[in-house]
Amino acid sequence: CNDCDQPIKRHGLFCSAASFSCESCDAELCKVCYESYPLVLMKDCDENSSGRDKDLQKKAHIQSFCKSCFQRLSVLDFTKTYDVIEPSADAKKSGVTFVFVHGGGGSRAMFRHHAQELMVRHGHRCILLDLPGHGSLAEVELSFDTCWEELKNVLEENKIIQEEDGRRTNSKEKIVYVGGSLGAYVGFYLLDEFKKVFNSAVLMDCGQNVGPGRSLKASLGLHLLSYVAKHYSNKKLAKMMLDVTKMSPADQWVIESTFAAGWFFEQGEEQVTILRSVAPAKHIPELDIPMCFMNGSKDYRDSEELWLNLCDTSNEVNSVLKVYDGGDHFFMHDSRFVEDVLKDIHDFAVLN
């Protein structure tokens, strides 16, 4: 196998060639490697400037590549673990920096277009990072500790905190954490660990309690997620996600923010471990910063009101809950809500 160097087993009289090969360079692959690097090639990205891609979703075809071609063809730059989208040196800057953290199985491409719009419209600086086990950090173990370490490195390298003591370098700058799904759930922990660093937080798709005290429905959902992560290949899970998004009303930047970057489910069981462990009800009272909770009305959201009610310190009184009527887990990529989401993120950051 071109990727793992394991002998490729051939059986029968007609197997003179490998059963699986990279769909770009034709390198021979074993079945495991063949299904490890799925990708939708996004040749139309530049032409599709509006980002409306429902037709592209319907026609999307997931292909299999060797690791080298996957990294070359993905919209992610695998030489970096985070991206910085910021105004040019001579442009007016807002004094607001967003730190975007993506959802499970995704990558820093998830919020790339939102970040670009926030920079162009308002002069905000946006930092988008890959969580361990995802994107450029796919081979790094996913855990609370490695998430903490990666965020710490990003904050230090971008001069937000000092290396010596972790203190803020510029108290006048507003630093805002933005997390979606897994990025929101692990965000409760990270925000607690990095007290006094973030001025506020926007947390999306975390209205369901999946941690201690979760409902039977949530427990069953996590059990199913753990099972498919253990028994299904990365490609099969990517196909399942493509089928889900085809049925979703989400229609803006869906392909280029997810499938053209790549899906990363290899550490799905570790993702479930984090979800089962996070206790928002424990962390929220300790955070002492305003939080904006965002959810689609059709998503699971049995605890969103509880999270909001726990924001009861003097600095948390500006916390809000935004529910986008008719939206699902992918509401931030639904053209009906994209403008509202961008406005709500901007307004909340500026006011807090």
Side-chain angles (χ1 to χ4, degrees):
C1 173
N2 183 76
D3 280 350
C4 70
D5 294 327
Q6 293 296 314
I8 296 176
K9 296 180 180 179
R10 296 180 172 87
H11 303 282
L13 299 174
F14 304 103
C15 296
S16 58
S19 301
F20 307 98
S21 60
C22 171
E23 295 187 52
S24 178
C25 71
D26 293 325
E28 293 187 355
L29 301 169
C30 66
K31 188 175 188 296
V32 172
C33 291
Y34 178 78
E35 297 194 345
S36 293
Y37 301 104
L39 201 63
V40 172
L41 297 184
M42 196 61 201
K43 299 176 181 177
D44 306 315
C45 275
D46 293 336
E47 298 174 12
N48 187 34
S49 58
S50 70
R52 305 290 175 83
D53 58 6
K54 207 59 184 176
D55 288 339
L56 293 173
Q57 290 179 55
K58 293 177 181 178
K59 295 184 289 186
H61 171 59
I62 295 177
Q63 297 177 263
S64 293
F65 300 98
C66 66
K67 181 178 180 179
S68 177
C69 289
F70 171 82
Q71 294 186 352
R72 174 174 58 84
L73 296 169
S74 169
V75 298
L76 283 183
D77 180 353
F78 280 83
T79 66
K80 302 188 295 183
T81 61
Y82 64 88
D83 296 324
V84 180
I85 297 175
E86 59 185 341
S88 59
D90 57 347
K92 184 178 180 180
K93 300 173 180 61
S94 68
V96 175
T97 292
F98 291 100
V99 179
F100 285 91
V101 185
H102 60 82
S107 70
R108 65 186 191 273
M110 175 180 173
F111 288 113
R112 179 178 290 169
H113 288 281
H114 300 82
Q116 186 69 29
E117 291 296 320
L118 289 167
M119 185 275 288
V120 171
R121 299 182 189 188
H122 306 292
H124 299 321
R125 177 171 69 153
C126 300
I127 302 171
L128 305 97
L129 60 87
D130 280 332
L131 286 172
H134 300 75
S136 297
L137 296 173
E139 296 178 4
V140 177
E141 179 187 1
L142 173 63
S143 68
F144 285 115
D145 288 343
T146 57
C147 289
W148 180 89
E149 187 67 32
E150 180 59 22
L151 179 57
K152 175 177 176 290
N153 291 339
V154 169
L155 295 174
E156 288 178 351
E157 290 178 16
N158 288 277
K159 311 300 181 185
I160 293 174
I161 63 173
Q162 301 174 24
E163 293 185 23
E164 306 80 32
D165 54 16
R167 292 175 180 266
R168 284 274 299 271
T169 58
N170 180 2
S171 60
K172 294 182 179 180
E173 184 180 18
K174 291 185 176 181
I175 312 298
V176 185
Y177 183 100
V178 183
S181 195
L182 178 65
Y185 284 111
V186 76
F188 289 113
Y189 166 80
L190 293 173
L191 289 164
D192 203 354
E193 288 290 305
F194 289 90
K195 287 187 177 76
K196 308 301 182 183
V197 173
F198 293 95
N199 296 82
S200 61
V202 178
L203 301 174
M204 307 179 190
D205 290 337
C206 62
Q208 184 181 36
N209 179 27
V210 292
R214 59 186 170 272
S215 67
L216 176 61
K217 180 186 289 188
S219 293
L220 292 174
L222 290 174
H223 179 75
L224 177 62
L225 181 58
S226 180
Y227 178 86
V228 298
K230 183 177 181 179
H231 294 93
Y232 290 9
S233 70
N234 209 26
K235 184 174 184 178
K236 187 168 185 177
L237 287 168
K239 286 183 175 180
M240 291 172 63
M241 287 301 301
L242 182 58
D243 290 340
V244 169
T245 57
K246 285 179 179 179
M247 294 185 291
S248 167
D251 61 348
Q252 190 156 355
W253 306 319
V254 175
I255 296 296
E256 51 198 294
S257 66
T258 52
F259 298 95
W263 282 101
F264 305 89
F265 295 110
E266 294 92 339
Q267 297 192 49
E269 291 181 272
E270 287 79 1
Q271 294 176 36
V272 173
T273 297
I274 284 180
L275 293 173
R276 284 174 170 157
S277 303
V278 171
K282 168 190 172 185
H283 293 296
I284 291 173
E286 302 296 325
L287 298 183
D288 202 29
I289 58 171
M291 284 171 277
C292 176
F293 300 101
M294 294 182 171
N295 297 308
S297 67
K298 294 184 177 181
D299 202 2
Y300 297 110
R301 29 191 279 267
D302 60 16
S303 299
E304 60 182 13
E305 293 286 352
L306 173 60
W307 302 161
L308 181 64
N309 291 335
L310 287 170
C311 299
D312 58 1
T313 70
S314 59
N315 289 325
E316 292 176 326
V317 293
N318 290 332
S319 296
V320 295
L321 170 62
K322 302 279 186 178
V323 178
Y324 300 88
D325 189 29
D328 59 10
H329 202 67
F330 309 99
F331 73 87
M332 70 288 294
H333 291 295
D334 188 326
S335 61
R336 296 175 298 170
F337 311 121
V338 167
E339 286 299 319
D340 288 337
V341 168
L342 291 170
K343 182 179 184 301
D344 291 341
I345 292 174
H346 164 74
D347 290 349
F348 187 76
V350 171
L351 290 174
N352 293 287

